[in-house]
Amino acid sequence: MQLDRELLKGSITLLILRLLAERDMYGYEIILEAGRRSDDTFTFKEGTLYPALHQLERRGFLRSEWRHGGNGRRRKYYSLTARGRRLAEQRQKHWTLFTSVINAVLSHH
Amino acid sequence: MAPDDVLIERVMAGAGIVGRKRRHEVRLELRSHLEDLIAEARQAGCTDAKIATLVAARFGDPRQVALAFARVYRTERIAVDLAAFGSLALVALGIAYAFVYGVQVLLGPGLGVLPARSQSTAHLASEAVLVGTLTLSYLGLYFAERLFARFRFARVLGLMALVAGVVVWGTTVTGFGHGLLVSLAFAAAAVARGFERLGARGMVRFMGVAAIVLVAGGLGHLDMRTAPTTVALTAGLMMILPVCLTIAVSCQLTASLAAFFDRRFLRRHLA
């Protein structure tokens, strides 16, 4: 089932922050991990990930560095800054509250 | 050029990322992503044709990606554009004033224009307003189009007309005057830029600007309270024609300088 695009748009930041809270990742890895965990339900146009990453980095929530991968290929890895970790926690709390409120309304008989 | 290179270049063309080093890094990052995507597809046994379709489908519309990047780097780009415009404006004003003043000093006496008149405070002030407004209006019309995605010339014309209106109001309220000169100089710049947008350059643009500056000069120098005689009109026009032509030439110099600066600097370093 394809998710609504507007829902996806609002979730990308939370998704990026949540995944990077676990470990440093490069862009393609973020795409693969999101797809794996959601059984390929959560998919979006991969090119749009990079402007989102750059925006978060410019706002001080992420930092990046180039690293050589196992196959010798250079990749740009992103990690959370302290501000990023705080934002990740905050957004997660908001999301949990939001979904519980919506679920409560939807399940009301 | 390989299809993935074409995709990356289409993104970079519209992304508006400032700085060669940063643009290089973004290219590398996008290329790295596409290489991983293609490697995964080859491992799954996809043909080249299938890979090309897969890349286009998964990566997304390069114009949308470019727009997203442009939104991220918008503030920086505007700051650099303003700094570039500011320095170009200073250089253009310097060249325009030097040219117009130089021609009057050198040729004025030969045309019967006494230095006392051509170098009087009143004359210099109105000339400074005319040349300055013409130069800055043209540069504003040329570069401010980049602020808009659609109906660019119409929108920038509206924006610059608003700015000119505010300036005219300011000169009136402060008692500085020359509101009419500001309006006519802006009109001359709009005509010059309008001709360019329609594809006319060189002599057509020159004649259009010269015509409006002639009107400006005529209104400024002739006493319009009473209907001027033919002799007075002819004499007046002969007096101001060389100056108007000089100012029209200075507009041509400004236009050439703007195009050169845009081609050699802005598009090379900021595109």
Side-chain angles (χ1 to χ4, degrees):
Chain A
M1 182 172 112
Q2 287 279 335
L3 289 177
D4 185 273
R5 286 182 61 145
E6 292 307 312
L7 278 176
L8 279 175
K9 269 190 211 171
S11 314
I12 283 181
T13 300
L14 175 59
L15 172 90
I16 290 170
L17 292 171
R18 187 69 194 90
L19 289 176
L20 292 178
E22 294 177 15
R23 66 175 192 278
D24 301 352
M25 290 187 200
Y26 55 95
Y28 194 70
E29 197 178 0
I30 293 173
I31 301 280
L32 289 182
E33 191 62 20
R36 188 186 67 79
R37 293 190 191 192
S38 65
D39 235 358
D40 287 330
T41 307
F42 196 106
T43 57
F44 52 93
K45 297 299 178 185
E46 295 173 16
T48 57
L49 173 69
Y50 293 96
L53 287 170
H54 283 227
Q55 182 71 295
L56 287 169
E57 188 179 12
R58 283 167 67 80
R59 289 182 178 170
F61 299 120
L62 303 182
R63 71 170 70 85
S64 65
E65 61 174 349
W66 286 92
R67 296 179 197 169
H68 284 281
N71 56 4
R73 198 179 289 163
R74 282 184 84 214
R75 293 193 178 96
K76 195 174 186 186
Y77 281 77
Y78 291 89
S79 55
L80 289 186
T81 60
R83 275 188 76 197
R85 288 193 188 282
R86 286 195 294 273
L87 182 68
E89 283 166 21
Q90 188 189 64
R91 286 285 179 102
Q92 177 112 31
K93 280 183 191 161
H94 287 168
W95 178 260
T96 306
L97 177 63
F98 175 74
T99 51
S100 64
V101 164
I102 294 293
N103 284 336
V105 171
L106 290 177
S107 60
H108 183 74
H109 296 295
Chain B
M1 208 185 254
D4 45 329
D5 287 329
V6 171
L7 198 63
I8 292 171
E9 289 313 311
R10 284 182 67 190
V11 170
M12 298 308 295
I17 297 170
V18 173
R20 204 173 269 185
K21 187 175 172 231
R22 183 172 283 141
R23 287 200 301 281
H24 179 65
E25 278 210 3
V26 171
R27 272 198 180 87
L28 281 181
E29 193 174 12
L30 294 179
R31 180 175 308 290
S32 170
H33 179 97
L34 291 176
E35 283 172 359
D36 282 331
L37 177 51
I38 290 167
E40 185 191 323
R42 283 204 202 289
Q43 213 166 15
C46 295
T47 59
D48 284 350
K50 183 87 199 285
I51 287 172
T53 310
L54 191 70
V55 164
R58 278 178 58 170
F59 189 80
D61 184 353
R63 285 170 302 180
Q64 295 302 319
V65 178
L67 273 175
F69 269 122
R71 276 194 291 273
V72 172
Y73 291 102
R74 185 182 160 86
T75 311
E76 231 167 21
R77 193 174 58 254
I78 289 175
V80 170
D81 280 348
L82 282 174
F85 172 79
S87 23
L88 174 63
L90 277 175
V91 170
L93 279 172
I95 291 174
Y97 282 136
F99 178 75
V100 171
Y101 187 69
V103 165
Q104 285 182 93
V105 165
L106 292 171
L107 298 183
L111 294 169
V113 178
L114 297 173
R117 179 174 174 167
S118 70
Q119 292 169 43
S120 67
T121 308
H123 177 85
L124 288 174
S126 15
E127 199 169 77
V129 168
L130 189 64
V131 173
T133 306
L134 184 62
T135 305
L136 292 175
S137 297
Y138 177 85
L139 291 177
L141 287 165
Y142 188 100
F143 289 107
E145 277 191 40
R146 286 151 210 212
L147 293 173
F148 306 104
R150 295 172 64 205
F151 306 113
R152 286 173 158 188
F153 186 63
R155 283 178 166 170
V156 79
L157 198 59
L159 175 66
M160 294 301 295
L162 190 64
V163 170
V166 168
V167 170
V168 168
W169 173 80
T171 59
T172 309
V173 160
T174 55
F176 179 68
H178 302 296
L180 185 61
L181 278 179
V182 169
S183 307
L184 288 169
F186 172 74
V191 162
R193 188 64 190 140
F195 280 157
E196 274 178 6
R197 292 295 260 104
L198 291 170
R201 298 264 193 282
M203 189 52 69
V204 176
R205 177 179 59 199
F206 175 82
M207 296 300 288
V209 171
I212 290 187
V213 172
L214 200 61
V215 168
L219 288 172
H221 284 80
L222 295 174
D223 186 355
M224 303 304 282
R225 284 172 297 185
T226 57
T229 63
T230 308
V231 170
L233 266 174
T234 307
L237 285 172
M238 290 305 293
M239 287 275 290
I240 62 176
L241 191 61
V243 175
C244 296
L245 290 175
T246 304
I247 292 173
V249 169
S250 83
C251 184
Q252 291 284 84
L253 288 174
T254 303
S256 301
L257 186 64
F260 177 80
F261 183 76
D262 188 27
R263 218 172 34 246
R264 290 297 179 97
F265 177 73
L266 287 181
R267 289 188 191 274
R268 194 172 281 186
H269 294 279
L270 300 180

